Amino acid sequence: MLSSRLARLVCSVAASAVVAAAAAQAQTGRVYTDAAYTRAANQLASATMPLVDHVVRSAQFLDHDRFWYVESTAGLNTVMLGDAAKGTKREAFDAARMATALQAAGLKVQPGKYVPDAFNISDDDRTARISVQERSFKCDLTTYTCTAELPASTGLTRGGRRSAPTAVLSPDGKRAAFVRDWNLWVRDTATNAETQLTTDGVKDFGYATDNAGWTHSDRAVVLWSPDSKKIATFQQDQRQTGEMYTVTTNVGHPHLDAWKYPLVGDEHVTMIERVIIDANTHKTTRLQMPPDQHRSTLCDDVSCHGGWDDVQWSTDAKTLAFVSTSRDHKDETVRIADVATGKVRDVFHEHADTFFESGYHAVNWRYLSDRNELLWFSQRENWGNLYLYDSTTGKLKHRVTHGEWNVNDILSVDEKTGDMLILGMGREPGEDPYYRKVYSTNLDGKNLKLLSPEDADHQATVSSDGKYIVDRYSTPHSAPIAVLRDRDGKVIEELAHGDLSRLQAAGWIAPETFHVTAHDGKTQVYGLLFKPVNLDPSQKYPIINYIYPGPQGGSFGPHSFAPSRGDSNALAQLGFAVVEIEGMGNPGRSKSFHDTYLNDIGINAIPDQISGMKELATRYPWIDMDRTGMWGHSGGGNATAATMFRFPGFIKVGIAESGNHENRNYEDDWDEKWVGLLHKNADGTTNYDVQANAQYAKNLTGKLMLAHGLMDDNVPVSNTMLVVDALEKANKDYDLVIFPNAHHGYAEMSYYMMRRRWDYFVTNLMKATPPHEFKMPMPAAPGQ
């Protein structure tokens, strides 16, 4: 049921629509040229990123003192090697010779045009291991010869969300685990000898497989023990899981692609049976517990960022801690298994009335086996804080962090001293609550200290002993800076200071950050405003809202520097005002903030877009609220259509790309977390009915373009076809773009979609003529 304030908002929108419909909009008669579109295209990331100099793109420590990072200047990436103890930095290798060596090993790269996924150096800097484009190589830095170290992809990947090698190296680098024919194998990295570890894996009941729902690849999901002798993984049971299908468009018989894809409400969904495999003896120890849900405490997969989340080894490799998540994500059970016997004991349990999450970008719990403790993240008191448990008794010892702010990430924990480094959000008064800051503290919950005082968003990488910190910080409108700090926060050395001179000379205009009042009339929500180029305050400009409503993310994204955010900068070059508003219902603030639209993600964050745009229009009279546009992809496509259907007349022109318009036709794990388990009411309706855009399609006013790829393996195309069917039955006009052989992201066709998007807004909001079939510039392939 709508709140009274939200109900008034709906009425206000309807009244505004009547007024707007009565006022005829004059044709401007403007004709956009190819040159105008080219200037806009020059504000896309492929053109702007090479114009930002001295930017550290990534950083990782190799040991206590040494670290590597990538510095970009003039569009070229240099892998740098730093030594914190010595205060030195240098190029890690000869970029030209390394590119030649990788080319000889079968990789298509050019010097300075790639960023390694992983890098290590050993043998007195004579040997390097480098991972590029999902492949890993061992390189001799004296002769500059490289050999492939991990198996290449077997071609089963269907555009999964992560970029990671298909095989997983052991900590000592001597073996790599991979999946073949539903079984787990290891490969000796020195001899390339392969050994089969399991033999009973079969189709739909395979080991370490990464093929549940919309994530499906041939990558192994495993966690090696610290001593490189054992592997924690699972046998994934999909034998009763329902399937999803796509069909190619081609001359002749089409190809049917089928894979396991459980839906909301299915009786049988994907399950996992946890196992531990000895890589030396090939013995498989099955944990003594029932099959577990294919769930994690963080995302809609057991693997959120390329590894296996919610599983952690003890330092002596004798026990394994993990968390079992219920199907509806409300119950978490922390368990510890005896590796030798497979016996499992429950340590403690937490229940959330809505949904549980263990962090933001990574799981924020740690198995402190040397202390017989477990550090646990919870929002049980409305904010993301840390709690310390006894891992033997399961009893809570005490809180570690306190207050109305969130622990974003645990960077390091010294088990001997209890000293910790963490990232936190929202603790410093008067600052952007989404800015991450580095803090030191202790497991005893005392002596919390801010180490990164700069008013900016901080990303930190910490040495294994917690002694040094590589801190990269920036804001949405200021250049990134990278520094090396000691444990007390003192800056030891500036690694790089970003320079925006060439970017600004090319016409780049920094977006403005703002905050406005949400639909509840009291909560502040944050956003970005891209002002139209050559702004004349005496004129009126149409406004476009780029929306991604979450609830697992948001429109704004990280509050750090990015030279381009999608095509928002480009649309501003075409004369539009563009906004990205982080509405309520999304993460990063309090738990109650995140729960705002609980069980009704059909309107998640939408009322805050409406109230926010209205407030901006009062603040900036040059914003024309009679010419409003909105677009989004995936969840944003759903939200765009929902805004036009459920708040008719407010958005005049919308573009809904690949939207999950019918969540009963989407993956079980995502929806059952945010909407809840499917249940039928006494009258035959369900709790998912109000999420379905098709039932509101009859309310459409204005111009709506729908788009979808027929091979979409994330959001099945039926989501859009159901809306199409409803619009046609309601005798509504709409526009449709179909990509016959594209997946969820459209790949190279995304630039065609971008051009159609620009044309649609120019034609219908500007009342102008776009250039005929403008050819969007295509960026070079990665590494080229």
Side-chain angles (χ1 to χ4, degrees), residues 44-53 55 57 72 74-75 502-503 562-564:
L44 299 175
S46 58
T48 60
M49 288 183 67
L51 299 177
V52 183
D53 297 324
V55 174
R57 297 184 58 180
S72 299
R502 293 192 303 123
L503 179 67
S564 296

mmCIF file with all atom_site columns, all heavy atoms in Angstrom, residues 44-53 55 57 72 74-75 502-503 562-564:
data_model
loop_
_atom_site.group_PDB
_atom_site.id
_atom_site.type_symbol
_atom_site.label_atom_id
_atom_site.label_alt_id
_atom_site.label_comp_id
_atom_site.label_asym_id
_atom_site.label_entity_id
_atom_site.label_seq_id
_atom_site.pdbx_PDB_ins_code
_atom_site.Cartn_x
_atom_site.Cartn_y
_atom_site.Cartn_z
_atom_site.occupancy
_atom_site.B_iso_or_equiv
_atom_site.pdbx_formal_charge
_atom_site.auth_seq_id
_atom_site.auth_comp_id
_atom_site.auth_asym_id
_atom_site.auth_atom_id
_atom_site.pdbx_PDB_model_num
ATOM 1   N N   . LEU A 1 44  ? 32.785 9.900  -24.437 1.00 0.00 ? 44  LEU A N   1
ATOM 2   C CA  . LEU A 1 44  ? 32.663 8.529  -23.963 1.00 0.00 ? 44  LEU A CA  1
ATOM 3   C C   . LEU A 1 44  ? 33.995 8.070  -23.379 1.00 0.00 ? 44  LEU A C   1
ATOM 4   O O   . LEU A 1 44  ? 35.058 8.617  -23.684 1.00 0.00 ? 44  LEU A O   1
ATOM 5   C CB  . LEU A 1 44  ? 32.226 7.610  -25.106 1.00 0.00 ? 44  LEU A CB  1
ATOM 6   C CG  . LEU A 1 44  ? 30.864 7.930  -25.744 1.00 0.00 ? 44  LEU A CG  1
ATOM 7   C CD1 . LEU A 1 44  ? 30.621 7.019  -26.941 1.00 0.00 ? 44  LEU A CD1 1
ATOM 8   C CD2 . LEU A 1 44  ? 29.750 7.782  -24.716 1.00 0.00 ? 44  LEU A CD2 1
ATOM 9   N N   . ALA A 1 45  ? 33.951 7.037  -22.567 1.00 0.00 ? 45  ALA A N   1
ATOM 10  C CA  . ALA A 1 45  ? 35.137 6.600  -21.830 1.00 0.00 ? 45  ALA A CA  1
ATOM 11  C C   . ALA A 1 45  ? 36.293 6.229  -22.737 1.00 0.00 ? 45  ALA A C   1
ATOM 12  O O   . ALA A 1 45  ? 37.460 6.471  -22.411 1.00 0.00 ? 45  ALA A O   1
ATOM 13  C CB  . ALA A 1 45  ? 34.779 5.420  -20.930 1.00 0.00 ? 45  ALA A CB  1
ATOM 14  N N   . SER A 1 46  ? 36.007 5.629  -23.886 1.00 0.00 ? 46  SER A N   1
ATOM 15  C CA  . SER A 1 46  ? 37.090 5.227  -24.783 1.00 0.00 ? 46  SER A CA  1
ATOM 16  C C   . SER A 1 46  ? 37.907 6.416  -25.256 1.00 0.00 ? 46  SER A C   1
ATOM 17  O O   . SER A 1 46  ? 39.092 6.282  -25.575 1.00 0.00 ? 46  SER A O   1
ATOM 18  C CB  . SER A 1 46  ? 36.516 4.476  -25.996 1.00 0.00 ? 46  SER A CB  1
ATOM 19  O OG  . SER A 1 46  ? 35.579 5.297  -26.686 1.00 0.00 ? 46  SER A OG  1
ATOM 20  N N   . ALA A 1 47  ? 37.292 7.606  -25.272 1.00 0.00 ? 47  ALA A N   1
ATOM 21  C CA  . ALA A 1 47  ? 38.004 8.818  -25.687 1.00 0.00 ? 47  ALA A CA  1
ATOM 22  C C   . ALA A 1 47  ? 38.548 9.606  -24.506 1.00 0.00 ? 47  ALA A C   1
ATOM 23  O O   . ALA A 1 47  ? 39.601 10.235 -24.598 1.00 0.00 ? 47  ALA A O   1
ATOM 24  C CB  . ALA A 1 47  ? 37.074 9.710  -26.521 1.00 0.00 ? 47  ALA A CB  1
ATOM 25  N N   . THR A 1 48  ? 37.849 9.586  -23.371 1.00 0.00 ? 48  THR A N   1
ATOM 26  C CA  . THR A 1 48  ? 38.270 10.423 -22.245 1.00 0.00 ? 48  THR A CA  1
ATOM 27  C C   . THR A 1 48  ? 39.325 9.764  -21.360 1.00 0.00 ? 48  THR A C   1
ATOM 28  O O   . THR A 1 48  ? 40.208 10.445 -20.831 1.00 0.00 ? 48  THR A O   1
ATOM 29  C CB  . THR A 1 48  ? 37.063 10.809 -21.373 1.00 0.00 ? 48  THR A CB  1
ATOM 30  O OG1 . THR A 1 48  ? 36.437 9.614  -20.869 1.00 0.00 ? 48  THR A OG1 1
ATOM 31  C CG2 . THR A 1 48  ? 36.052 11.615 -22.167 1.00 0.00 ? 48  THR A CG2 1
ATOM 32  N N   . MET A 1 49  ? 39.251 8.464  -21.185 1.00 0.00 ? 49  MET A N   1
ATOM 33  C CA  . MET A 1 49  ? 40.204 7.812  -20.286 1.00 0.00 ? 49  MET A CA  1
ATOM 34  C C   . MET A 1 49  ? 41.657 8.011  -20.714 1.00 0.00 ? 49  MET A C   1
ATOM 35  O O   . MET A 1 49  ? 42.525 8.249  -19.862 1.00 0.00 ? 49  MET A O   1
ATOM 36  C CB  . MET A 1 49  ? 39.870 6.325  -20.146 1.00 0.00 ? 49  MET A CB  1
ATOM 37  C CG  . MET A 1 49  ? 38.623 6.061  -19.316 1.00 0.00 ? 49  MET A CG  1
ATOM 38  S SD  . MET A 1 49  ? 38.263 4.301  -19.077 1.00 0.00 ? 49  MET A SD  1
ATOM 39  C CE  . MET A 1 49  ? 39.652 3.822  -18.044 1.00 0.00 ? 49  MET A CE  1
ATOM 40  N N   . PRO A 1 50  ? 41.976 7.957  -22.025 1.00 0.00 ? 50  PRO A N   1
ATOM 41  C CA  . PRO A 1 50  ? 43.365 8.194  -22.421 1.00 0.00 ? 50  PRO A CA  1
ATOM 42  C C   . PRO A 1 50  ? 43.842 9.625  -22.178 1.00 0.00 ? 50  PRO A C   1
ATOM 43  O O   . PRO A 1 50  ? 45.042 9.894  -22.267 1.00 0.00 ? 50  PRO A O   1
ATOM 44  C CB  . PRO A 1 50  ? 43.363 7.874  -23.923 1.00 0.00 ? 50  PRO A CB  1
ATOM 45  C CG  . PRO A 1 50  ? 42.188 6.992  -24.135 1.00 0.00 ? 50  PRO A CG  1
ATOM 46  C CD  . PRO A 1 50  ? 41.165 7.497  -23.177 1.00 0.00 ? 50  PRO A CD  1
ATOM 47  N N   . LEU A 1 51  ? 42.920 10.549 -21.864 1.00 0.00 ? 51  LEU A N   1
ATOM 48  C CA  . LEU A 1 51  ? 43.294 11.945 -21.653 1.00 0.00 ? 51  LEU A CA  1
ATOM 49  C C   . LEU A 1 51  ? 43.573 12.266 -20.193 1.00 0.00 ? 51  LEU A C   1
ATOM 50  O O   . LEU A 1 51  ? 43.913 13.401 -19.869 1.00 0.00 ? 51  LEU A O   1
ATOM 51  C CB  . LEU A 1 51  ? 42.179 12.858 -22.186 1.00 0.00 ? 51  LEU A CB  1
ATOM 52  C CG  . LEU A 1 51  ? 41.877 12.741 -23.684 1.00 0.00 ? 51  LEU A CG  1
ATOM 53  C CD1 . LEU A 1 51  ? 40.707 13.652 -24.061 1.00 0.00 ? 51  LEU A CD1 1
ATOM 54  C CD2 . LEU A 1 51  ? 43.097 13.068 -24.515 1.00 0.00 ? 51  LEU A CD2 1
ATOM 55  N N   . VAL A 1 52  ? 43.396 11.281 -19.316 1.00 0.00 ? 52  VAL A N   1
ATOM 56  C CA  . VAL A 1 52  ? 43.683 11.479 -17.896 1.00 0.00 ? 52  VAL A CA  1
ATOM 57  C C   . VAL A 1 52  ? 45.069 10.909 -17.620 1.00 0.00 ? 52  VAL A C   1
ATOM 58  O O   . VAL A 1 52  ? 45.338 9.738  -17.881 1.00 0.00 ? 52  VAL A O   1
ATOM 59  C CB  . VAL A 1 52  ? 42.632 10.781 -17.018 1.00 0.00 ? 52  VAL A CB  1
ATOM 60  C CG1 . VAL A 1 52  ? 42.919 11.056 -15.547 1.00 0.00 ? 52  VAL A CG1 1
ATOM 61  C CG2 . VAL A 1 52  ? 41.234 11.258 -17.385 1.00 0.00 ? 52  VAL A CG2 1
ATOM 62  N N   . ASP A 1 53  ? 45.947 11.729 -17.106 1.00 0.00 ? 53  ASP A N   1
ATOM 63  C CA  . ASP A 1 53  ? 47.343 11.326 -16.913 1.00 0.00 ? 53  ASP A CA  1
ATOM 64  C C   . ASP A 1 53  ? 47.661 11.064 -15.447 1.00 0.00 ? 53  ASP A C   1
ATOM 65  O O   . ASP A 1 53  ? 47.080 11.675 -14.548 1.00 0.00 ? 53  ASP A O   1
ATOM 66  C CB  . ASP A 1 53  ? 48.279 12.420 -17.453 1.00 0.00 ? 53  ASP A CB  1
ATOM 67  C CG  . ASP A 1 53  ? 48.117 12.612 -18.959 1.00 0.00 ? 53  ASP A CG  1
ATOM 68  O OD1 . ASP A 1 53  ? 47.883 11.611 -19.658 1.00 0.00 ? 53  ASP A OD1 1
ATOM 69  O OD2 . ASP A 1 53  ? 48.205 13.772 -19.418 1.00 0.00 ? 53  ASP A OD2 1
ATOM 70  N N   . VAL A 1 55  ? 47.338 8.336  -13.434 1.00 0.00 ? 55  VAL A N   1
ATOM 71  C CA  . VAL A 1 55  ? 46.282 7.731  -12.630 1.00 0.00 ? 55  VAL A CA  1
ATOM 72  C C   . VAL A 1 55  ? 46.686 6.302  -12.287 1.00 0.00 ? 55  VAL A C   1
ATOM 73  O O   . VAL A 1 55  ? 47.053 5.524  -13.167 1.00 0.00 ? 55  VAL A O   1
ATOM 74  C CB  . VAL A 1 55  ? 44.937 7.716  -13.386 1.00 0.00 ? 55  VAL A CB  1
ATOM 75  C CG1 . VAL A 1 55  ? 43.894 6.944  -12.593 1.00 0.00 ? 55  VAL A CG1 1
ATOM 76  C CG2 . VAL A 1 55  ? 44.460 9.137  -13.632 1.00 0.00 ? 55  VAL A CG2 1
ATOM 77  N N   . ARG A 1 57  ? 45.543 2.833  -11.508 1.00 0.00 ? 57  ARG A N   1
ATOM 78  C CA  . ARG A 1 57  ? 44.299 2.115  -11.764 1.00 0.00 ? 57  ARG A CA  1
ATOM 79  C C   . ARG A 1 57  ? 44.090 0.929  -10.842 1.00 0.00 ? 57  ARG A C   1
ATOM 80  O O   . ARG A 1 57  ? 42.959 0.519  -10.599 1.00 0.00 ? 57  ARG A O   1
ATOM 81  C CB  . ARG A 1 57  ? 44.260 1.658  -13.225 1.00 0.00 ? 57  ARG A CB  1
ATOM 82  C CG  . ARG A 1 57  ? 44.253 2.816  -14.215 1.00 0.00 ? 57  ARG A CG  1
ATOM 83  C CD  . ARG A 1 57  ? 44.113 2.333  -15.642 1.00 0.00 ? 57  ARG A CD  1
ATOM 84  N NE  . ARG A 1 57  ? 42.893 1.554  -15.844 1.00 0.00 ? 57  ARG A NE  1
ATOM 85  C CZ  . ARG A 1 57  ? 42.555 1.023  -17.016 1.00 0.00 ? 57  ARG A CZ  1
ATOM 86  N NH1 . ARG A 1 57  ? 43.338 1.174  -18.069 1.00 0.00 ? 57  ARG A NH1 1
ATOM 87  N NH2 . ARG A 1 57  ? 41.446 0.325  -17.137 1.00 0.00 ? 57  ARG A NH2 1
ATOM 88  N N   . SER A 1 72  ? 48.544 4.954  -15.436 1.00 0.00 ? 72  SER A N   1
ATOM 89  C CA  . SER A 1 72  ? 48.145 5.281  -16.807 1.00 0.00 ? 72  SER A CA  1
ATOM 90  C C   . SER A 1 72  ? 48.475 6.732  -17.119 1.00 0.00 ? 72  SER A C   1
ATOM 91  O O   . SER A 1 72  ? 48.119 7.635  -16.349 1.00 0.00 ? 72  SER A O   1
ATOM 92  C CB  . SER A 1 72  ? 46.644 5.039  -17.000 1.00 0.00 ? 72  SER A CB  1
ATOM 93  O OG  . SER A 1 72  ? 46.318 3.684  -16.787 1.00 0.00 ? 72  SER A OG  1
ATOM 94  N N   . ALA A 1 74  ? 48.775 9.271  -20.828 1.00 0.00 ? 74  ALA A N   1
ATOM 95  C CA  . ALA A 1 74  ? 48.688 9.386  -22.293 1.00 0.00 ? 74  ALA A CA  1
ATOM 96  C C   . ALA A 1 74  ? 48.121 8.132  -22.929 1.00 0.00 ? 74  ALA A C   1
ATOM 97  O O   . ALA A 1 74  ? 48.499 7.743  -24.040 1.00 0.00 ? 74  ALA A O   1
ATOM 98  C CB  . ALA A 1 74  ? 50.062 9.705  -22.882 1.00 0.00 ? 74  ALA A CB  1
ATOM 99  N N   . GLY A 1 75  ? 47.189 7.481  -22.218 1.00 0.00 ? 75  GLY A N   1
ATOM 100 C CA  . GLY A 1 75  ? 46.532 6.310  -22.773 1.00 0.00 ? 75  GLY A CA  1
ATOM 101 C C   . GLY A 1 75  ? 47.343 5.038  -22.701 1.00 0.00 ? 75  GLY A C   1
ATOM 102 O O   . GLY A 1 75  ? 46.918 4.008  -23.221 1.00 0.00 ? 75  GLY A O   1
ATOM 103 N N   . ARG A 1 502 ? 44.639 17.690 -20.084 1.00 0.00 ? 502 ARG A N   1
ATOM 104 C CA  . ARG A 1 502 ? 44.297 17.328 -21.466 1.00 0.00 ? 502 ARG A CA  1
ATOM 105 C C   . ARG A 1 502 ? 42.817 16.983 -21.588 1.00 0.00 ? 502 ARG A C   1
ATOM 106 O O   . ARG A 1 502 ? 42.178 17.265 -22.605 1.00 0.00 ? 502 ARG A O   1
ATOM 107 C CB  . ARG A 1 502 ? 45.154 16.154 -21.940 1.00 0.00 ? 502 ARG A CB  1
ATOM 108 C CG  . ARG A 1 502 ? 46.635 16.507 -22.087 1.00 0.00 ? 502 ARG A CG  1
ATOM 109 C CD  . ARG A 1 502 ? 47.429 15.443 -22.833 1.00 0.00 ? 502 ARG A CD  1
ATOM 110 N NE  . ARG A 1 502 ? 47.335 14.144 -22.194 1.00 0.00 ? 502 ARG A NE  1
ATOM 111 C CZ  . ARG A 1 502 ? 46.895 13.037 -22.802 1.00 0.00 ? 502 ARG A CZ  1
ATOM 112 N NH1 . ARG A 1 502 ? 46.473 13.085 -24.051 1.00 0.00 ? 502 ARG A NH1 1
ATOM 113 N NH2 . ARG A 1 502 ? 46.870 11.883 -22.156 1.00 0.00 ? 502 ARG A NH2 1
ATOM 114 N N   . LEU A 1 503 ? 42.251 16.397 -20.554 1.00 0.00 ? 503 LEU A N   1
ATOM 115 C CA  . LEU A 1 503 ? 40.827 16.073 -20.562 1.00 0.00 ? 503 LEU A CA  1
ATOM 116 C C   . LEU A 1 503 ? 39.984 17.345 -20.626 1.00 0.00 ? 503 LEU A C   1
ATOM 117 O O   . LEU A 1 503 ? 39.037 17.449 -21.424 1.00 0.00 ? 503 LEU A O   1
ATOM 118 C CB  . LEU A 1 503 ? 40.485 15.265 -19.309 1.00 0.00 ? 503 LEU A CB  1
ATOM 119 C CG  . LEU A 1 503 ? 39.021 14.859 -19.128 1.00 0.00 ? 503 LEU A CG  1
ATOM 120 C CD1 . LEU A 1 503 ? 38.598 13.867 -20.195 1.00 0.00 ? 503 LEU A CD1 1
ATOM 121 C CD2 . LEU A 1 503 ? 38.799 14.273 -17.735 1.00 0.00 ? 503 LEU A CD2 1
ATOM 122 N N   . ALA A 1 562 ? 35.549 9.327  -12.335 1.00 0.00 ? 562 ALA A N   1
ATOM 123 C CA  . ALA A 1 562 ? 35.461 8.590  -13.595 1.00 0.00 ? 562 ALA A CA  1
ATOM 124 C C   . ALA A 1 562 ? 35.326 9.640  -14.691 1.00 0.00 ? 562 ALA A C   1
ATOM 125 O O   . ALA A 1 562 ? 34.441 10.503 -14.602 1.00 0.00 ? 562 ALA A O   1
ATOM 126 C CB  . ALA A 1 562 ? 34.270 7.639  -13.611 1.00 0.00 ? 562 ALA A CB  1
ATOM 127 N N   . PRO A 1 563 ? 36.171 9.617  -15.708 1.00 0.00 ? 563 PRO A N   1
ATOM 128 C CA  . PRO A 1 563 ? 36.102 10.660 -16.733 1.00 0.00 ? 563 PRO A CA  1
ATOM 129 C C   . PRO A 1 563 ? 34.799 10.625 -17.526 1.00 0.00 ? 563 PRO A C   1
ATOM 130 O O   . PRO A 1 563 ? 34.374 11.650 -18.066 1.00 0.00 ? 563 PRO A O   1
ATOM 131 C CB  . PRO A 1 563 ? 37.311 10.365 -17.624 1.00 0.00 ? 563 PRO A CB  1
ATOM 132 C CG  . PRO A 1 563 ? 37.621 8.920  -17.396 1.00 0.00 ? 563 PRO A CG  1
ATOM 133 C CD  . PRO A 1 563 ? 37.254 8.654  -15.969 1.00 0.00 ? 563 PRO A CD  1
ATOM 134 N N   . SER A 1 564 ? 34.179 9.468  -17.604 1.00 0.00 ? 564 SER A N   1
ATOM 135 C CA  . SER A 1 564 ? 32.878 9.343  -18.257 1.00 0.00 ? 564 SER A CA  1
ATOM 136 C C   . SER A 1 564 ? 32.047 8.338  -17.493 1.00 0.00 ? 564 SER A C   1
ATOM 137 O O   . SER A 1 564 ? 32.562 7.315  -17.039 1.00 0.00 ? 564 SER A O   1
ATOM 138 C CB  . SER A 1 564 ? 33.030 8.880  -19.709 1.00 0.00 ? 564 SER A CB  1
ATOM 139 O OG  . SER A 1 564 ? 33.722 9.823  -20.481 1.00 0.00 ? 564 SER A OG  1
#
